[in-house]
Amino acid sequence: MLDINKIRADFPILSQKVNGKPLVYFDNGATSQKPQVVIDAISKYYQEINANIHRGVHTLSQLATDAYEASRGKIQNHINAKFAHEVLFTSGTTHGINLVTNGFASILKPGDEVLVSALEHHSNIVPWQMLCEKTGAILRVIPMNQDGELIMAEYDKLLSDKTKVVTVNHISNALGTVNPIKYMIDEAHKFGAAVLIDGAQAVPHLKPDVQELDCDFYAFSGHKICGPTGTGILYGKEAWLNKLPPYQGGGEMIKEVTFEKTTYAELPHKFEAGTPNIAGGIVLGTAVDYMNEVGFDNIQQQELELLEYGTKRLLEIEGLKIFGTAKEKTSVISFNIEGIHPYDIGTIIDKLGIAVRTGHHCAQPIMTFFNIPGTIRASFAFYNTKEEIDAMVAAVKKAQLMLS
Ligand code: 7TS
């Protein structure tokens, strides 16, 4: 069991007041808060070992390189990748997905098909659309039902020899649905298609095992797992990363450069051009250590309780409807109140110290599916409490009274 007071004491921002009220931070789907160990590790890096990596013979450069590569190793262990060179540092999920779509531009042919799910964040739709425009490939959509679950019978029908890529999130950011990705990966592989999993919303809640999943790519952001912004990871199977061309050209990603021809460095450097976010990459390892110390079993237990309690309490409110009622769901509650625009509720409850996201959550096709302008989204982390949910419910009731 979590000692919630101890956990909350790790996060200095949580004891702040916002608009004169104690902060209730329920926008964890957008970004997580940072524990003191992560904040301190950033300062420590700049105070003690700041230097560029992979190039200097001098001591600081060696120390920084060792710390950066040690962090890669931690993340390799965390996601159970077979090789450290399958773990690429990126600036976030968006960067990771674009790295892959850029690579597939030289692989896809006109008439090839890319399957994308109806539940995607824009960052797992738009890069694939751009790729299809460039290559003449066709984008097909795996549909969902009214609960916000992907329809596997339809997925099975869409798969064919034309399918070259399947791209799907592990967990939906807008609805919290946990997708049956193991099944989807196995079925796609029967047709020889590559599978990219957008793990941005999964890694805050669980430890993915990329070898067990057998996915070809798994992308996530560091800032959603207590790490710094501008950090992320793209896992790719060695064979795929060897096959794909580099994303960006520049220093660090080369073996030899002449004006006639350049040869590329081995993995992972082939995909890591230029000076990376060194401090961020190192501190992402600190964040992963922190999450593992808290323990994913504890995290899941706390979040499940919050999901159940939050769902029950919110449904007490007359006219409130929850969008996203999948059987497999994580701690995200998207809702609307009849006759009131989500933005108005969000604005009023912010004045009461409650931070939620309102709008389309960068998932406009989901809003179109439900024929709504957006939702109010409360996304809980392991450091949230039932008392905070009570504060949100009271604030939403107050807003409803004011607006009706
Ligand atoms: N994929 C999913 C499923 C996401 O939830 C997000 C960010 C991204 C990709 C993009 O991640 P980035 O770190 O590269 O920006 N989701 C959200 C959200 O739900 N609210 O703000 C950002």
Side-chain angles (χ1 to χ4, degrees):
M1 270 299 283
L2 283 184
D3 179 347
I4 194 73
N5 291 330
K6 187 169 164 290
I7 295 283
R8 287 180 69 81
D10 291 339
F11 292 82
I13 209 169
L14 296 180
S15 51
Q16 265 202 123
K17 285 196 167 162
V18 169
N19 295 321
K21 308 280 183 209
L23 169 66
V24 172
Y25 186 77
F26 284 165
D27 196 16
N28 296 287
T31 198
S32 68
Q33 294 303 346
K34 319 301 171 201
Q36 192 66 49
V37 280
V38 163
I39 300 167
D40 289 345
I42 296 171
S43 298
K44 192 171 152 68
Y45 167 78
Y46 285 113
Q47 281 165 8
E48 295 179 6
I49 59 167
N50 175 51
N52 213 327
I53 53 170
H54 299 141
R55 35 197 115 187
V57 288
H58 65 81
T59 305
L60 284 191
S61 176
Q62 297 282 351
L63 287 173
T65 303
D66 289 350
Y68 196 69
E69 292 307 321
S71 177
R72 195 192 304 273
K74 277 181 196 176
I75 292 151
Q76 177 200 354
N77 285 337
H78 183 68
I79 63 174
N80 193 29
K82 194 164 176 193
F83 305 113
H85 60 251
E86 293 178 319
V87 176
L88 309 181
F89 282 110
T90 63
S91 66
T93 310
T94 304
H95 176 186
I97 295 170
N98 278 275
L99 187 158
V100 175
T101 58
N102 177 77
F104 270 91
S106 60
I107 293 175
L108 295 191
K109 303 272 176 296
D112 284 347
E113 294 186 356
V114 173
L115 305 191
V116 60
S117 100
L119 278 173
E120 298 310 306
H121 185 280
H122 295 164
S123 70
N124 200 27
I125 301 174
V126 183
W128 297 103
Q129 272 174 334
M130 290 161 65
L131 172 65
C132 288
E133 273 170 28
K134 219 183 276 177
T135 58
I138 298 158
L139 194 73
R140 300 220 181 271
V141 182
I142 308 157
M144 65 167 161
N145 63 23
Q146 288 293 324
D147 288 319
E149 294 167 321
L150 295 177
I151 305 169
M152 285 303 104
E154 296 296 326
Y155 174 61
D156 293 344
K157 278 190 227 154
L158 282 167
L159 281 170
S160 77
D161 291 335
K162 288 190 207 148
T163 313
K164 296 296 174 246
V165 186
V166 173
T167 189
V168 61
N169 58 41
H170 196 162
I171 294 181
S172 150
N173 72 314
L175 305 180
T177 312
V178 182
N179 289 313
I181 58 165
K182 180 63 189 149
Y183 174 82
M184 295 179 78
I185 293 163
D186 290 348
E187 293 306 302
H189 283 167
K190 289 181 187 164
F191 293 89
V195 184
L196 181 141
I197 303 297
D198 171 351
Q201 295 292 337
V203 285
H205 310 292
L206 55 86
K207 230 174 121 136
D209 182 330
V210 293
Q211 288 191 74
E212 193 198 277
L213 287 170
D214 198 29
C215 53
D216 300 286
F217 303 97
Y218 195 100
F220 61 94
S221 302
H223 68 91
K224 295 191 202 277
I225 50 169
C226 299
T229 51
T231 64
I233 295 293
L234 175 71
Y235 160 81
K237 272 187 192 159
E238 184 186 56
W240 271 114
L241 294 180
N242 279 328
K243 196 166 168 185
L244 297 188
Y247 181 41
Q248 291 185 313
E252 279 299 291
M253 53 75 74
I254 55 92
K255 189 179 277 168
E256 201 178 328
V257 178
T258 68
F259 282 110
E260 286 69 43
K261 188 173 168 54
T262 291
T263 50
Y264 304 128
E266 299 296 318
L267 296 174
H269 307 294
K270 175 179 147 188
F271 289 104
E272 294 182 351
T275 301
N277 180 355
I278 303 168
I282 294 170
V283 177
L284 180 54
T286 312
V288 165
D289 282 345
Y290 176 80
M291 300 272 303
N292 279 308
E293 273 161 34
V294 175
F296 279 85
D297 288 347
N298 291 329
I299 289 173
Q300 277 168 18
Q301 190 185 339
Q302 175 73 1
E303 291 176 346
L304 187 66
E305 275 181 32
L306 293 172
L307 174 66
E308 282 174 1
Y309 185 72
T311 304
K312 181 175 123 293
R313 289 286 343 258
L314 280 167
L315 286 173
E316 286 169 11
I317 298 173
E318 212 171 305
L320 186 143
K321 180 167 182 207
I322 291 177
F323 295 88
T325 45
K327 281 183 264 331
E328 295 293 328
K329 212 187 137 168
T330 191
S331 53
V332 170
I333 309 180
S334 246
F335 61 94
N336 271 339
I337 295 180
E338 210 180 334
I340 305 178
H341 197 282
Y343 180 78
D344 294 337
I345 300 266
T347 307
I348 292 178
I349 68 174
D350 172 56
K351 295 282 175 285
L352 301 167
I354 319 285
V356 290
R357 186 170 172 189
T358 59
H360 54 62
H361 315 298
C362 301
Q364 282 180 349
I366 299 181
M367 304 303 133
T368 307
F369 175 85
F370 286 115
N371 196 22
I372 50 175
T375 68
I376 303 150
R377 182 188 68 177
S379 48
F380 311 128
F382 57 93
Y383 44 70
N384 290 129
T385 65
K386 290 183 182 168
E387 291 71 26
E388 290 181 305
I389 289 175
D390 292 339
M392 173 181 70
V393 170
V396 171
K397 283 182 178 168
K398 201 165 173 179
Q400 185 183 30
L401 263 180
M402 286 168 71
L403 292 164
S404 52

Coordinates of all heavy atoms in Angstrom, one line a residue, residues 29-30 92-94 121 123 169 171 173 198 200-201 221 223-224 357 361 377, ligand 1:
G29 N -2.9 13.5 -17.5 CA -2.9 13.0 -18.9 C -2.1 13.9 -19.8 O -1.4 13.5 -20.7
A30 N -2.1 15.2 -19.5 CA -1.3 16.2 -20.2 C 0.1 16.1 -19.8 O 1.0 16.1 -20.7 CB -1.9 17.6 -20.0
G92 N 10.1 13.2 -27.4 CA 8.8 12.8 -26.9 C 8.1 11.8 -27.9 O 8.7 11.4 -28.9
T93 N 6.9 11.5 -27.6 CA 6.1 10.5 -28.4 C 6.0 11.1 -29.8 O 6.2 10.3 -30.8 CB 4.7 10.4 -27.8 OG1 4.8 10.1 -26.4 CG2 4.0 9.2 -28.5
T94 N 5.7 12.3 -30.0 CA 5.5 12.9 -31.3 C 6.7 12.7 -32.2 O 6.7 12.3 -33.3 CB 5.2 14.4 -31.2 OG1 4.0 14.5 -30.3 CG2 4.9 15.1 -32.5
H121 N -4.6 9.9 -30.7 CA -4.2 11.3 -30.5 C -3.8 11.8 -31.9 O -3.3 11.0 -32.7 CB -3.1 11.3 -29.5 CG -2.6 12.6 -29.1 ND1 -1.7 13.4 -29.8 CD2 -2.8 13.4 -27.9 CE1 -1.4 14.5 -29.2 NE2 -2.0 14.5 -28.0
S123 N -1.2 13.1 -32.8 CA 0.2 12.9 -33.1 C 0.4 11.4 -33.6 O 1.4 11.1 -34.2 CB 1.1 13.2 -31.9 OG 0.9 12.2 -30.9
N169 N -2.8 3.3 -30.1 CA -2.3 3.6 -28.8 C -2.6 2.4 -27.8 O -3.5 1.7 -28.0 CB -2.8 4.9 -28.2 CG -4.3 5.1 -28.2 OD1 -4.9 4.2 -27.8 ND2 -4.8 6.3 -28.5
I171 N -3.1 3.0 -24.6 CA -4.2 3.5 -23.8 C -4.6 4.9 -24.4 O -3.8 5.7 -24.8 CB -3.8 3.7 -22.3 CG1 -3.6 2.4 -21.7 CG2 -4.9 4.5 -21.5 CD1 -3.2 2.4 -20.2
N173 N -5.9 8.6 -24.6 CA -5.7 9.8 -23.8 C -7.1 10.5 -23.5 O -7.2 11.0 -22.4 CB -4.8 10.8 -24.4 CG -5.4 11.6 -25.6 OD1 -5.9 10.9 -26.4 ND2 -5.2 12.9 -25.6
D198 N 1.6 3.5 -29.6 CA 1.8 4.8 -28.9 C 1.5 4.6 -27.5 O 0.4 4.4 -27.0 CB 0.8 5.8 -29.6 CG 0.8 7.1 -28.8 OD1 1.4 7.2 -27.7 OD2 0.1 8.0 -29.3
A200 N 2.2 6.6 -25.0 CA 2.3 7.8 -24.2 C 1.4 7.8 -22.9 O 1.8 8.3 -21.8 CB 1.9 9.0 -25.0
Q201 N 0.2 7.2 -23.0 CA -0.7 7.2 -21.9 C -0.6 5.9 -21.1 O -1.3 5.8 -20.1 CB -2.2 7.5 -22.3 CG -2.4 8.8 -22.9 CD -2.3 10.0 -21.9 OE1 -2.4 9.7 -20.7 NE2 -2.0 11.1 -22.4
S221 N 6.6 9.4 -23.9 CA 7.2 10.7 -23.5 C 7.6 10.6 -22.1 O 7.0 10.0 -21.2 CB 6.1 11.8 -23.6 OG 5.6 11.9 -24.9
H223 N 7.9 13.2 -20.0 CA 7.2 14.2 -19.1 C 5.9 13.6 -18.5 O 5.4 14.2 -17.6 CB 6.9 15.5 -19.9 CG 5.9 15.4 -20.9 ND1 4.6 15.6 -20.7 CD2 6.0 15.1 -22.3 CE1 3.9 15.5 -21.9 NE2 4.8 15.2 -22.8
K224 N 5.4 12.5 -19.0 CA 4.2 11.9 -18.4 C 4.5 10.9 -17.4 O 3.6 10.4 -16.7 CB 3.3 11.3 -19.5 CG 2.8 12.3 -20.6 CD 1.7 11.7 -21.4 CE 1.6 12.5 -22.7 NZ 0.7 13.7 -22.7
R357 N -8.4 19.2 -17.8 CA -8.3 19.6 -19.2 C -9.7 19.6 -19.8 O -10.5 18.7 -19.6 CB -7.3 18.7 -20.1 CG -7.1 19.3 -21.5 CD -6.1 18.7 -22.3 NE -6.1 19.2 -23.6 CZ -5.4 18.7 -24.7 NH1 -4.6 17.7 -24.5 NH2 -5.5 19.3 -25.8
H361 N -8.9 17.4 -26.5 CA -7.8 16.5 -26.1 C -6.9 16.0 -27.2 O -6.4 14.9 -27.2 CB -8.3 15.4 -25.2 CG -9.3 15.8 -24.2 ND1 -9.0 16.7 -23.2 CD2 -10.6 15.5 -24.1 CE1 -10.1 16.9 -22.5 NE2 -11.1 16.2 -23.0
R377 N -11.9 16.6 -18.8 CA -11.2 15.3 -18.5 C -10.4 15.4 -17.2 O -9.6 16.3 -17.1 CB -10.2 15.1 -19.7 CG -9.4 13.7 -19.5 CD -8.3 13.6 -20.5 NE -7.2 14.5 -20.3 CZ -6.1 14.5 -21.0 NH1 -5.9 13.7 -22.0 NH2 -5.2 15.4 -20.7
Ligands
7TS1 N1 -0.1 10.1 -27.9 C1 -0.9 10.1 -26.9 C2 -1.8 8.9 -26.6 C3 -0.9 11.2 -26.0 O1 -1.8 11.3 -25.0 C4 -0.1 12.3 -26.3 C5 -0.1 13.6 -25.5 C6 0.8 12.2 -27.4 C7 0.8 11.1 -28.1 C8 1.8 13.3 -27.7 O2 2.8 13.3 -26.7 P1 3.9 14.5 -26.7 O3 4.6 14.3 -25.4 O4 4.8 14.2 -27.9 O5 3.2 15.8 -26.9 N2 -1.3 13.8 -24.8 C9 -1.7 14.9 -24.2 C10 -3.0 15.0 -23.6 O6 -3.8 14.1 -23.5 N3 -3.1 16.2 -23.1 O7 -2.0 16.9 -23.4 C11 -1.2 16.1 -24.1

